[in-house]
Amino acid sequence: MTQSAALPGNLDLYLHVRVLIALILGLSVTRLVSGIAALVQHPGRYPIWPVHLGWVAWTLLNVVAFWWWEFRLSHIQHWTYGLYFFVCVYASMYYFLSVLLFPQDLDEYKGYEDYFLSRRRWFFGFTEALDVVDTWIKGEAHLRSLGLEYLVATSAFILLSVVAARTRNPKFHMLFALSAVAYQISFSIRHFGTLD
């Protein structure tokens, strides 16, 4: 049975979806911030790796951006279970990344570098692909508003993620993490001014 609702007549449905997104993303922020706090509390427990911290910053920036940007889902006139399910999966992906970045323990590993490199395929396996679908859901006008930059940047990120999933080269990982954080900050400043 397919259900859909026009938002002007049923705002409660979108609010229901927003609450679930907020819960999942709130757990993501909690995991990331508590992981950072643990590094501050016990700096000598496990060797810290700057690349790992770069991806922590990137993930936190993306969680905040996703939370902000998903308000645009309020413009969707018809909600289906498939759309609802996709949005839940997308939000959950950020929680998955947060847990990957800060596991319960690192006893089997020499530190964050050894751990991150051993889990890099999981981390880079689905970071950007869901964003492409999300942008498509928001419509052609939204895609046009992002311009050619979005297509080029997303394609480059996916390509670099494929390389990152395959290589252990620390210089590549450092440059990729720094570039990703710098680009996310730049993109947020240029595109997230208001939700009008």
mmCIF file of all heavy atoms in Angstrom, residues 128-172:
data_model
loop_
_atom_site.group_PDB
_atom_site.id
_atom_site.type_symbol
_atom_site.label_atom_id
_atom_site.label_comp_id
_atom_site.label_asym_id
_atom_site.label_seq_id
_atom_site.Cartn_x
_atom_site.Cartn_y
_atom_site.Cartn_z
ATOM 1 N N GLU A 128 29.740 9.319 -0.376
ATOM 2 C CA GLU A 128 29.177 10.348 -1.258
ATOM 3 C C GLU A 128 28.043 9.864 -2.146
ATOM 4 O O GLU A 128 27.245 10.656 -2.625
ATOM 5 C CB GLU A 128 30.301 10.932 -2.132
ATOM 6 C CG GLU A 128 30.018 12.269 -2.727
ATOM 7 C CD GLU A 128 29.940 13.408 -1.713
ATOM 8 O OE1 GLU A 128 30.368 13.253 -0.569
ATOM 9 O OE2 GLU A 128 29.442 14.477 -2.087
ATOM 10 N N ALA A 129 27.946 8.569 -2.350
ATOM 11 C CA ALA A 129 26.934 8.046 -3.271
ATOM 12 C C ALA A 129 25.516 8.398 -2.821
ATOM 13 O O ALA A 129 24.655 8.737 -3.647
ATOM 14 C CB ALA A 129 27.082 6.534 -3.413
ATOM 15 N N LEU A 130 25.264 8.360 -1.522
ATOM 16 C CA LEU A 130 23.927 8.685 -1.027
ATOM 17 C C LEU A 130 23.581 10.155 -1.258
ATOM 18 O O LEU A 130 22.414 10.500 -1.450
ATOM 19 C CB LEU A 130 23.791 8.336 0.453
ATOM 20 C CG LEU A 130 23.790 6.840 0.774
ATOM 21 C CD1 LEU A 130 23.801 6.624 2.282
ATOM 22 C CD2 LEU A 130 22.604 6.138 0.155
ATOM 23 N N ASP A 131 24.587 11.024 -1.267
ATOM 24 C CA ASP A 131 24.328 12.443 -1.512
ATOM 25 C C ASP A 131 23.803 12.667 -2.928
ATOM 26 O O ASP A 131 22.967 13.544 -3.144
ATOM 27 C CB ASP A 131 25.596 13.274 -1.290
ATOM 28 C CG ASP A 131 25.319 14.753 -1.460
ATOM 29 O OD1 ASP A 131 24.520 15.302 -0.672
ATOM 30 O OD2 ASP A 131 25.867 15.365 -2.393
ATOM 31 N N VAL A 132 24.276 11.883 -3.869
ATOM 32 C CA VAL A 132 23.806 12.013 -5.251
ATOM 33 C C VAL A 132 22.304 11.714 -5.320
ATOM 34 O O VAL A 132 21.537 12.464 -5.930
ATOM 35 C CB VAL A 132 24.602 11.074 -6.182
ATOM 36 C CG1 VAL A 132 24.015 11.074 -7.586
ATOM 37 C CG2 VAL A 132 26.075 11.479 -6.213
ATOM 38 N N VAL A 133 21.890 10.644 -4.659
ATOM 39 C CA VAL A 133 20.464 10.287 -4.646
ATOM 40 C C VAL A 133 19.664 11.354 -3.918
ATOM 41 O O VAL A 133 18.586 11.768 -4.366
ATOM 42 C CB VAL A 133 20.251 8.896 -3.999
ATOM 43 C CG1 VAL A 133 18.777 8.548 -3.928
ATOM 44 C CG2 VAL A 133 21.018 7.837 -4.761
ATOM 45 N N ASP A 134 20.186 11.840 -2.801
ATOM 46 C CA ASP A 134 19.503 12.877 -2.027
ATOM 47 C C ASP A 134 19.298 14.144 -2.865
ATOM 48 O O ASP A 134 18.221 14.742 -2.849
ATOM 49 C CB ASP A 134 20.329 13.202 -0.772
ATOM 50 C CG ASP A 134 19.681 14.255 0.090
ATOM 51 O OD1 ASP A 134 18.569 14.012 0.602
ATOM 52 O OD2 ASP A 134 20.277 15.340 0.247
ATOM 53 N N THR A 135 20.314 14.540 -3.616
ATOM 54 C CA THR A 135 20.203 15.717 -4.470
ATOM 55 C C THR A 135 19.161 15.489 -5.555
ATOM 56 O O THR A 135 18.357 16.377 -5.860
ATOM 57 C CB THR A 135 21.578 16.052 -5.097
ATOM 58 O OG1 THR A 135 22.495 16.311 -4.022
ATOM 59 C CG2 THR A 135 21.500 17.268 -5.991
ATOM 60 N N TRP A 136 19.147 14.310 -6.122
ATOM 61 C CA TRP A 136 18.158 13.965 -7.146
ATOM 62 C C TRP A 136 16.735 14.047 -6.576
ATOM 63 O O TRP A 136 15.825 14.566 -7.228
ATOM 64 C CB TRP A 136 18.457 12.567 -7.684
ATOM 65 C CG TRP A 136 17.430 12.049 -8.618
ATOM 66 C CD1 TRP A 136 17.236 12.419 -9.922
ATOM 67 C CD2 TRP A 136 16.434 11.077 -8.332
ATOM 68 N NE1 TRP A 136 16.183 11.723 -10.457
ATOM 69 C CE2 TRP A 136 15.675 10.885 -9.501
ATOM 70 C CE3 TRP A 136 16.124 10.325 -7.199
ATOM 71 C CZ2 TRP A 136 14.619 9.999 -9.567
ATOM 72 C CZ3 TRP A 136 15.069 9.430 -7.258
ATOM 73 C CH2 TRP A 136 14.331 9.286 -8.437
ATOM 74 N N ILE A 137 16.540 13.587 -5.341
ATOM 75 C CA ILE A 137 15.218 13.620 -4.699
ATOM 76 C C ILE A 137 14.736 15.057 -4.524
ATOM 77 O O ILE A 137 13.552 15.345 -4.683
ATOM 78 C CB ILE A 137 15.262 12.894 -3.335
ATOM 79 C CG1 ILE A 137 15.352 11.384 -3.555
ATOM 80 C CG2 ILE A 137 14.043 13.228 -2.483
ATOM 81 C CD1 ILE A 137 15.635 10.595 -2.293
ATOM 82 N N LYS A 138 15.640 15.955 -4.219
ATOM 83 C CA LYS A 138 15.252 17.352 -3.981
ATOM 84 C C LYS A 138 14.864 18.071 -5.269
ATOM 85 O O LYS A 138 14.359 19.180 -5.224
ATOM 86 C CB LYS A 138 16.380 18.092 -3.267
ATOM 87 C CG LYS A 138 16.540 17.636 -1.838
ATOM 88 C CD LYS A 138 17.741 18.281 -1.193
ATOM 89 C CE LYS A 138 17.949 17.703 0.182
ATOM 90 N NZ LYS A 138 19.299 17.895 0.668
ATOM 91 N N GLY A 139 15.115 17.451 -6.392
ATOM 92 C CA GLY A 139 14.594 17.980 -7.654
ATOM 93 C C GLY A 139 15.611 18.670 -8.530
ATOM 94 O O GLY A 139 16.716 19.025 -8.115
ATOM 95 N N GLU A 140 15.187 18.862 -9.769
ATOM 96 C CA GLU A 140 16.044 19.455 -10.792
ATOM 97 C C GLU A 140 16.418 20.895 -10.456
ATOM 98 O O GLU A 140 17.544 21.326 -10.695
ATOM 99 C CB GLU A 140 15.340 19.395 -12.145
ATOM 100 C CG GLU A 140 16.218 19.791 -13.293
ATOM 101 C CD GLU A 140 15.503 19.685 -14.629
ATOM 102 O OE1 GLU A 140 14.624 18.817 -14.772
ATOM 103 O OE2 GLU A 140 15.817 20.492 -15.518
ATOM 104 N N ALA A 141 15.470 21.645 -9.883
ATOM 105 C CA ALA A 141 15.772 23.040 -9.529
ATOM 106 C C ALA A 141 16.887 23.093 -8.490
ATOM 107 O O ALA A 141 17.778 23.950 -8.566
ATOM 108 C CB ALA A 141 14.516 23.742 -9.007
ATOM 109 N N HIS A 142 16.858 22.170 -7.544
ATOM 110 C CA HIS A 142 17.911 22.114 -6.520
ATOM 111 C C HIS A 142 19.252 21.770 -7.154
ATOM 112 O O HIS A 142 20.273 22.410 -6.854
ATOM 113 C CB HIS A 142 17.541 21.087 -5.445
ATOM 114 C CG HIS A 142 18.635 20.828 -4.469
ATOM 115 N ND1 HIS A 142 19.101 21.783 -3.594
ATOM 116 C CD2 HIS A 142 19.378 19.717 -4.237
ATOM 117 C CE1 HIS A 142 20.073 21.269 -2.859
ATOM 118 N NE2 HIS A 142 20.259 20.024 -3.245
ATOM 119 N N LEU A 143 19.257 20.787 -8.044
ATOM 120 C CA LEU A 143 20.491 20.408 -8.723
ATOM 121 C C LEU A 143 21.048 21.575 -9.531
ATOM 122 O O LEU A 143 22.244 21.869 -9.481
ATOM 123 C CB LEU A 143 20.253 19.197 -9.629
ATOM 124 C CG LEU A 143 21.457 18.709 -10.433
ATOM 125 C CD1 LEU A 143 22.594 18.305 -9.508
ATOM 126 C CD2 LEU A 143 21.059 17.557 -11.330
ATOM 127 N N ARG A 144 20.181 22.286 -10.250
ATOM 128 C CA ARG A 144 20.640 23.449 -11.025
ATOM 129 C C ARG A 144 21.207 24.532 -10.117
ATOM 130 O O ARG A 144 22.157 25.217 -10.477
ATOM 131 C CB ARG A 144 19.490 24.006 -11.862
ATOM 132 C CG ARG A 144 19.307 23.288 -13.180
ATOM 133 C CD ARG A 144 18.458 24.104 -14.150
ATOM 134 N NE ARG A 144 17.249 24.636 -13.553
ATOM 135 C CZ ARG A 144 16.049 24.066 -13.621
ATOM 136 N NH1 ARG A 144 15.884 22.949 -14.272
ATOM 137 N NH2 ARG A 144 15.007 24.621 -13.054
ATOM 138 N N SER A 145 20.612 24.692 -8.928
ATOM 139 C CA SER A 145 21.096 25.729 -8.009
ATOM 140 C C SER A 145 22.525 25.446 -7.541
ATOM 141 O O SER A 145 23.256 26.360 -7.192
ATOM 142 C CB SER A 145 20.159 25.869 -6.805
ATOM 143 O OG SER A 145 20.333 24.792 -5.906
ATOM 144 N N LEU A 146 22.922 24.181 -7.544
ATOM 145 C CA LEU A 146 24.279 23.816 -7.120
ATOM 146 C C LEU A 146 25.296 23.987 -8.239
ATOM 147 O O LEU A 146 26.490 24.136 -7.980
ATOM 148 C CB LEU A 146 24.291 22.371 -6.613
ATOM 149 C CG LEU A 146 23.444 22.101 -5.376
ATOM 150 C CD1 LEU A 146 23.435 20.616 -5.056
ATOM 151 C CD2 LEU A 146 23.922 22.914 -4.190
ATOM 152 N N GLY A 147 24.821 23.970 -9.489
ATOM 153 C CA GLY A 147 25.682 24.241 -10.639
ATOM 154 C C GLY A 147 26.662 23.126 -10.964
ATOM 155 O O GLY A 147 26.665 22.050 -10.371
ATOM 156 N N LEU A 148 27.518 23.437 -11.903
ATOM 157 C CA LEU A 148 28.519 22.498 -12.385
ATOM 158 C C LEU A 148 29.489 22.099 -11.275
ATOM 159 O O LEU A 148 29.989 20.972 -11.246
ATOM 160 C CB LEU A 148 29.278 23.113 -13.568
ATOM 161 C CG LEU A 148 30.355 22.253 -14.209
ATOM 162 C CD1 LEU A 148 29.737 20.974 -14.793
ATOM 163 C CD2 LEU A 148 31.075 23.042 -15.285
ATOM 164 N N GLU A 149 29.738 23.011 -10.355
ATOM 165 C CA GLU A 149 30.658 22.723 -9.250
ATOM 166 C C GLU A 149 30.258 21.453 -8.510
ATOM 167 O O GLU A 149 31.106 20.625 -8.174
ATOM 168 C CB GLU A 149 30.686 23.898 -8.262
ATOM 169 C CG GLU A 149 31.506 23.606 -7.024
ATOM 170 C CD GLU A 149 31.305 24.615 -5.906
ATOM 171 O OE1 GLU A 149 30.600 25.622 -6.108
ATOM 172 O OE2 GLU A 149 31.861 24.384 -4.828
ATOM 173 N N TYR A 150 28.963 21.290 -8.260
ATOM 174 C CA TYR A 150 28.493 20.119 -7.521
ATOM 175 C C TYR A 150 28.839 18.835 -8.273
ATOM 176 O O TYR A 150 29.343 17.872 -7.682
ATOM 177 C CB TYR A 150 26.986 20.198 -7.274
ATOM 178 C CG TYR A 150 26.432 18.929 -6.677
ATOM 179 C CD1 TYR A 150 26.599 18.658 -5.323
ATOM 180 C CD2 TYR A 150 25.779 17.988 -7.464
ATOM 181 C CE1 TYR A 150 26.122 17.491 -4.764
ATOM 182 C CE2 TYR A 150 25.292 16.818 -6.912
ATOM 183 C CZ TYR A 150 25.460 16.568 -5.559
ATOM 184 O OH TYR A 150 24.997 15.405 -5.022
ATOM 185 N N LEU A 151 28.579 18.816 -9.568
ATOM 186 C CA LEU A 151 28.850 17.616 -10.363
ATOM 187 C C LEU A 151 30.344 17.293 -10.389
ATOM 188 O O LEU A 151 30.743 16.138 -10.234
ATOM 189 C CB LEU A 151 28.313 17.783 -11.781
ATOM 190 C CG LEU A 151 26.793 17.957 -11.894
ATOM 191 C CD1 LEU A 151 26.405 18.262 -13.333
ATOM 192 C CD2 LEU A 151 26.078 16.719 -11.395
ATOM 193 N N VAL A 152 31.173 18.309 -10.566
ATOM 194 C CA VAL A 152 32.622 18.107 -10.617
ATOM 195 C C VAL A 152 33.137 17.663 -9.251
ATOM 196 O O VAL A 152 33.892 16.684 -9.142
ATOM 197 C CB VAL A 152 33.342 19.394 -11.089
ATOM 198 C CG1 VAL A 152 34.850 19.267 -10.933
ATOM 199 C CG2 VAL A 152 32.970 19.706 -12.529
ATOM 200 N N ALA A 153 32.732 18.367 -8.191
ATOM 201 C CA ALA A 153 33.212 18.046 -6.848
ATOM 202 C C ALA A 153 32.760 16.653 -6.406
ATOM 203 O O ALA A 153 33.541 15.895 -5.820
ATOM 204 C CB ALA A 153 32.733 19.100 -5.849
ATOM 205 N N THR A 154 31.514 16.308 -6.679
ATOM 206 C CA THR A 154 30.999 14.998 -6.281
ATOM 207 C C THR A 154 31.708 13.885 -7.050
ATOM 208 O O THR A 154 32.092 12.863 -6.463
ATOM 209 C CB THR A 154 29.476 14.930 -6.498
ATOM 210 O OG1 THR A 154 28.870 15.948 -5.698
ATOM 211 C CG2 THR A 154 28.922 13.581 -6.102
ATOM 212 N N SER A 155 31.890 14.080 -8.337
ATOM 213 C CA SER A 155 32.608 13.083 -9.145
ATOM 214 C C SER A 155 34.039 12.907 -8.635
ATOM 215 O O SER A 155 34.533 11.779 -8.516
ATOM 216 C CB SER A 155 32.623 13.492 -10.613
ATOM 217 O OG SER A 155 31.311 13.579 -11.115
ATOM 218 N N ALA A 156 34.705 14.018 -8.342
ATOM 219 C CA ALA A 156 36.084 13.952 -7.841
ATOM 220 C C ALA A 156 36.129 13.245 -6.496
ATOM 221 O O ALA A 156 37.015 12.417 -6.242
ATOM 222 C CB ALA A 156 36.666 15.361 -7.725
ATOM 223 N N PHE A 157 35.172 13.544 -5.612
ATOM 224 C CA PHE A 157 35.159 12.917 -4.287
ATOM 225 C C PHE A 157 34.948 11.410 -4.404
ATOM 226 O O PHE A 157 35.599 10.624 -3.706
ATOM 227 C CB PHE A 157 34.082 13.542 -3.394
ATOM 228 C CG PHE A 157 34.225 13.158 -1.953
ATOM 229 C CD1 PHE A 157 34.974 13.940 -1.087
ATOM 230 C CD2 PHE A 157 33.638 12.007 -1.456
ATOM 231 C CE1 PHE A 157 35.127 13.579 0.242
ATOM 232 C CE2 PHE A 157 33.783 11.640 -0.132
ATOM 233 C CZ PHE A 157 34.542 12.430 0.716
ATOM 234 N N ILE A 158 34.035 10.997 -5.277
ATOM 235 C CA ILE A 158 33.792 9.566 -5.455
ATOM 236 C C ILE A 158 35.047 8.883 -5.991
ATOM 237 O O ILE A 158 35.450 7.818 -5.494
ATOM 238 C CB ILE A 158 32.568 9.332 -6.368
ATOM 239 C CG1 ILE A 158 31.288 9.746 -5.626
ATOM 240 C CG2 ILE A 158 32.488 7.875 -6.811
ATOM 241 C CD1 ILE A 158 30.044 9.765 -6.489
ATOM 242 N N LEU A 159 35.692 9.494 -6.974
ATOM 243 C CA LEU A 159 36.921 8.922 -7.538
ATOM 244 C C LEU A 159 38.019 8.830 -6.470
ATOM 245 O O LEU A 159 38.684 7.793 -6.327
ATOM 246 C CB LEU A 159 37.401 9.762 -8.726
ATOM 247 C CG LEU A 159 38.711 9.314 -9.369
ATOM 248 C CD1 LEU A 159 38.557 7.932 -9.995
ATOM 249 C CD2 LEU A 159 39.146 10.316 -10.417
ATOM 250 N N LEU A 160 38.212 9.905 -5.711
ATOM 251 C CA LEU A 160 39.234 9.896 -4.659
ATOM 252 C C LEU A 160 38.892 8.896 -3.554
ATOM 253 O O LEU A 160 39.796 8.297 -2.956
ATOM 254 C CB LEU A 160 39.412 11.302 -4.089
ATOM 255 C CG LEU A 160 40.048 12.310 -5.050
ATOM 256 C CD1 LEU A 160 39.957 13.721 -4.491
ATOM 257 C CD2 LEU A 160 41.487 11.941 -5.356
ATOM 258 N N SER A 161 37.614 8.698 -3.283
ATOM 259 C CA SER A 161 37.200 7.703 -2.289
ATOM 260 C C SER A 161 37.550 6.293 -2.739
ATOM 261 O O SER A 161 37.953 5.454 -1.926
ATOM 262 C CB SER A 161 35.693 7.800 -2.017
ATOM 263 O OG SER A 161 35.394 8.995 -1.338
ATOM 264 N N VAL A 162 37.407 6.035 -4.039
ATOM 265 C CA VAL A 162 37.794 4.724 -4.580
ATOM 266 C C VAL A 162 39.293 4.499 -4.374
ATOM 267 O O VAL A 162 39.726 3.432 -3.927
ATOM 268 C CB VAL A 162 37.407 4.610 -6.077
ATOM 269 C CG1 VAL A 162 38.040 3.378 -6.718
ATOM 270 C CG2 VAL A 162 35.891 4.579 -6.225
ATOM 271 N N VAL A 163 40.079 5.531 -4.651
ATOM 272 C CA VAL A 163 41.531 5.426 -4.453
ATOM 273 C C VAL A 163 41.838 5.249 -2.967
ATOM 274 O O VAL A 163 42.642 4.394 -2.578
ATOM 275 C CB VAL A 163 42.264 6.663 -5.020
ATOM 276 C CG1 VAL A 163 43.756 6.616 -4.684
ATOM 277 C CG2 VAL A 163 42.052 6.769 -6.525
ATOM 278 N N ALA A 164 41.183 6.039 -2.108
ATOM 279 C CA ALA A 164 41.431 5.970 -0.664
ATOM 280 C C ALA A 164 41.077 4.606 -0.088
ATOM 281 O O ALA A 164 41.717 4.131 0.854
ATOM 282 C CB ALA A 164 40.638 7.066 0.054
ATOM 283 N N ALA A 165 40.058 3.972 -0.644
ATOM 284 C CA ALA A 165 39.668 2.647 -0.177
ATOM 285 C C ALA A 165 40.714 1.595 -0.532
ATOM 286 O O ALA A 165 40.805 0.561 0.122
ATOM 287 C CB ALA A 165 38.315 2.261 -0.777
ATOM 288 N N ARG A 166 41.526 1.887 -1.539
ATOM 289 C CA ARG A 166 42.514 0.906 -2.011
ATOM 290 C C ARG A 166 43.932 1.154 -1.488
ATOM 291 O O ARG A 166 44.720 0.221 -1.406
ATOM 292 C CB ARG A 166 42.538 0.895 -3.534
ATOM 293 C CG ARG A 166 41.251 0.395 -4.136
ATOM 294 C CD ARG A 166 41.299 0.508 -5.657
ATOM 295 N NE ARG A 166 40.112 -0.066 -6.227
ATOM 296 C CZ ARG A 166 40.039 -1.300 -6.715
ATOM 297 N NH1 ARG A 166 41.086 -2.083 -6.674
ATOM 298 N NH2 ARG A 166 38.922 -1.748 -7.225
ATOM 299 N N THR A 167 44.271 2.398 -1.167
ATOM 300 C CA THR A 167 45.663 2.697 -0.808
ATOM 301 C C THR A 167 45.826 2.934 0.692
ATOM 302 O O THR A 167 44.908 3.405 1.366
ATOM 303 C CB THR A 167 46.186 3.925 -1.584
ATOM 304 O OG1 THR A 167 47.580 4.090 -1.295
ATOM 305 C CG2 THR A 167 45.448 5.199 -1.200
ATOM 306 N N ARG A 168 47.011 2.622 1.168
ATOM 307 C CA ARG A 168 47.382 2.908 2.561
ATOM 308 C C ARG A 168 48.351 4.100 2.624
ATOM 309 O O ARG A 168 48.853 4.412 3.687
ATOM 310 C CB ARG A 168 48.024 1.684 3.196
ATOM 311 C CG ARG A 168 47.098 0.497 3.325
ATOM 312 C CD ARG A 168 47.801 -0.696 3.953
ATOM 313 N NE ARG A 168 48.220 -0.467 5.310
ATOM 314 C CZ ARG A 168 47.487 -0.717 6.399
ATOM 315 N NH1 ARG A 168 46.280 -1.238 6.248
ATOM 316 N NH2 ARG A 168 47.949 -0.479 7.597
ATOM 317 N N ASN A 169 48.598 4.748 1.495
ATOM 318 C CA ASN A 169 49.569 5.831 1.416
ATOM 319 C C ASN A 169 49.159 6.980 2.345
ATOM 320 O O ASN A 169 48.150 7.639 2.112
ATOM 321 C CB ASN A 169 49.672 6.328 -0.036
ATOM 322 C CG ASN A 169 50.721 7.398 -0.201
ATOM 323 O OD1 ASN A 169 50.736 8.383 0.510
ATOM 324 N ND2 ASN A 169 51.600 7.206 -1.169
ATOM 325 N N PRO A 170 49.961 7.249 3.396
ATOM 326 C CA PRO A 170 49.581 8.285 4.367
ATOM 327 C C PRO A 170 49.530 9.697 3.772
ATOM 328 O O PRO A 170 48.706 10.510 4.188
ATOM 329 C CB PRO A 170 50.636 8.183 5.469
ATOM 330 C CG PRO A 170 51.723 7.334 4.922
ATOM 331 C CD PRO A 170 51.192 6.565 3.759
ATOM 332 N N LYS A 171 50.396 9.987 2.800
ATOM 333 C CA LYS A 171 50.370 11.319 2.186
ATOM 334 C C LYS A 171 49.077 11.533 1.409
ATOM 335 O O LYS A 171 48.464 12.597 1.479
ATOM 336 C CB LYS A 171 51.582 11.513 1.261
ATOM 337 C CG LYS A 171 52.883 11.673 1.999
ATOM 338 C CD LYS A 171 54.036 11.902 1.052
ATOM 339 C CE LYS A 171 55.340 11.995 1.843
ATOM 340 N NZ LYS A 171 56.500 12.148 0.972
ATOM 341 N N PHE A 172 48.666 10.518 0.658
ATOM 342 C CA PHE A 172 47.406 10.623 -0.066
ATOM 343 C C PHE A 172 46.249 10.841 0.903
ATOM 344 O O PHE A 172 45.404 11.717 0.699
ATOM 345 C CB PHE A 172 47.149 9.365 -0.913
ATOM 346 C CG PHE A 172 45.782 9.381 -1.554
ATOM 347 C CD1 PHE A 172 45.584 10.050 -2.752
ATOM 348 C CD2 PHE A 172 44.693 8.785 -0.932
ATOM 349 C CE1 PHE A 172 44.318 10.101 -3.333
ATOM 350 C CE2 PHE A 172 43.433 8.832 -1.500
ATOM 351 C CZ PHE A 172 43.240 9.490 -2.708
#
